[in-house]
Amino acid sequence: MIGKYDRLAFCLLLVLVIGIFTTSCASMTQQAHQLAPEKQAHAASPAVTSPIPASSAAPADKAELPVYTEEQLKTYPEDIRDILSRGKLRVALYQEDRYPFFYADDQGVLRGSDVDLANDIALKLGVQAEFIRTAASFNEVINQVSTGEVDIGVSKLSMTLERAKRVLFSDAYLNLKQALLINRLQLAAIGEKGDDVDPLALIQGRGERIGIVAGTSYAGFARELFPNQNQVGYPNSAQLFDGVRQGDVLAAVYDAFEISRYLKKYPSYSLQLQFVQLDDHDDDIAIAVDPKRYHLQQWMNTYLHMEKKEIQKRLENYDI
């Protein structure tokens, strides 16, 4: 039998064990409560990411643009303030592709050296570029600029005195050369054979039909070169060059860059066609500006001067 003192000792031992167990559970509960916020905080924390490399930066038209207050806008000339308030620079483009200046890629995205230039102009101005591509000819691009339908035209636009009566031109950002694409058989039929024959002088003296792309500056250039010849207009350069090859016209007047690209694409045509670059006849490419936006035109010239090297690199990237 268990004695009275033994029972008392057993009870004391039991109380001691229960006390120790209770204290331990309380301590564990307290530690669990202390750890819970840390675990919650860790779960809610976003994963650490590496900085985005410069090459992956958003394109110009997605860049964050400044927001102007009314007080800030009042400090700008009216023709600049109007564009900043709108948040968009309206840019006219000819509706047909002119690779590599402006063209739609396989996904329908507008690309090219002129597109890049217009996007950068808008970015530096503090707005987005909005491209209006409804002009059916280069002359219609000039019409859109002259009537204020758009702010500028960046569309491989030749600077001419006639166009300058209607729009403001920036300084030239690209210099091309005028050129002739001549039907060799027809040229041989109107003149003597020989390496010293001047095709330009021969056509001016004896030629009859000269081809141009209607609605371009080359209609005017051709009249200056060949005032006594009949001018035949074609809707685009592809049909113009085919017209020369097929003998519908003796020669075409167009820019050397486009004619060179055509002959590189069809090297066998060189047997039928002769390419003559007119080094004394420039084709200066510039930005057409709304005639009411004089300060914008001056800003454009400043931009072209300060960004000259970058513009040249951009052109070289497109093999221009």
Side-chain angles (χ1 to χ4, degrees), residues 13-313:
L13 179 61
L14 181 62
V15 171
L16 180 61
V17 170
I18 291 174
I20 294 172
F21 178 79
T22 302
T23 303
S24 175
C25 288
S27 176
M28 292 174 64
T29 302
Q30 184 178 6
Q31 289 178 8
H33 283 297
Q34 290 174 345
L35 288 171
E38 294 179 4
K39 291 181 179 179
Q40 292 172 1
H42 179 73
S45 298
V48 178
T49 57
S50 302
I52 299 174
S55 58
S56 302
D61 58 343
K62 299 296 183 181
E64 186 175 347
L65 299 172
V67 178
Y68 298 93
T69 66
E70 289 297 325
E71 290 300 317
Q72 289 174 323
L73 289 172
K74 289 178 183 178
T75 65
Y76 295 102
E78 183 178 356
D79 63 327
I80 298 290
R81 181 168 67 244
D82 173 50
I83 295 171
L84 297 180
S85 299
R86 189 194 312 136
K88 292 181 179 180
L89 179 70
R90 300 169 303 179
V91 184
L93 272 180
Y94 179 35
Q95 65 182 10
E96 292 187 10
D97 286 357
R98 281 294 181 270
Y99 181 88
F101 300 95
F102 49 91
Y103 62 95
D105 66 12
D106 294 339
Q107 286 73 44
V109 178
L110 196 57
R111 300 190 183 280
S113 59
D114 275 359
V115 175
D116 291 349
L117 177 63
N119 274 324
D120 194 57
I121 287 171
L123 179 64
K124 296 295 195 302
L125 193 60
V127 296
Q128 286 185 330
E130 179 185 18
F131 293 97
I132 290 86
R133 205 178 181 192
T134 57
S137 69
F138 289 100
N139 282 343
E140 191 171 335
V141 172
I142 296 295
N143 291 342
Q144 291 176 337
V145 176
S146 68
T147 58
E149 182 180 342
V150 297
D151 304 310
I152 62 173
V154 185
S155 191
K156 197 194 172 190
L157 291 172
S158 299
M159 190 186 334
T160 70
L161 291 175
E162 184 59 35
R163 288 175 173 178
K165 296 176 184 176
R166 306 179 56 210
V167 300
L168 298 172
F169 274 112
S170 72
D171 294 337
Y173 64 89
L174 175 63
N175 176 263
L176 300 175
K177 294 294 181 181
Q178 298 176 32
L180 303 177
L181 185 65
I182 306 169
N183 184 292
R184 290 184 183 275
L185 187 61
Q186 287 198 29
L187 183 66
I190 66 171
E192 306 83 8
K193 295 181 179 180
D195 296 336
D196 58 341
V197 174
D198 181 1
L200 176 60
L202 187 59
I203 296 171
Q204 287 172 332
R206 303 184 191 181
E208 293 184 1
R209 291 162 60 85
I210 301 298
I212 52 93
V213 177
T216 70
S217 59
Y218 279 85
F221 295 157
R223 276 192 296 270
E224 293 177 3
L225 288 168
F226 305 107
N228 300 318
Q229 281 69 32
N230 294 323
Q231 196 172 98
V232 180
Y234 290 84
N236 55 57
S237 60
Q239 292 186 40
L240 169 65
F241 299 155
D242 285 344
V244 178
R245 186 171 57 86
Q246 295 163 4
D248 297 332
V249 292
L250 168 59
V253 183
Y254 210 58
D255 76 68
F257 181 84
E258 293 293 342
I259 295 177
S260 295
R261 286 190 66 243
Y262 176 77
L263 293 177
K264 287 178 182 177
K265 185 176 182 180
Y266 305 106
S268 63
Y269 290 174
S270 297
L271 297 173
Q272 303 165 264
L273 302 171
Q274 181 178 353
F275 168 58
V276 177
Q277 180 169 302
L278 305 175
D279 292 325
D280 294 333
H281 296 267
D282 292 334
D283 181 11
D284 289 326
I285 306 301
I287 300 167
V289 182
D290 180 346
K292 298 184 293 295
R293 299 187 184 277
Y294 175 77
H295 198 92
L296 178 62
Q297 182 228 18
Q298 296 300 305
W299 183 91
M300 290 287 176
N301 286 339
T302 303
Y303 166 88
L304 293 174
H305 172 73
M306 296 181 67
E307 300 292 323
K308 185 176 181 178
K309 292 182 179 178
E310 290 303 316
I311 294 171
Q312 185 59 41
K313 289 180 183 178

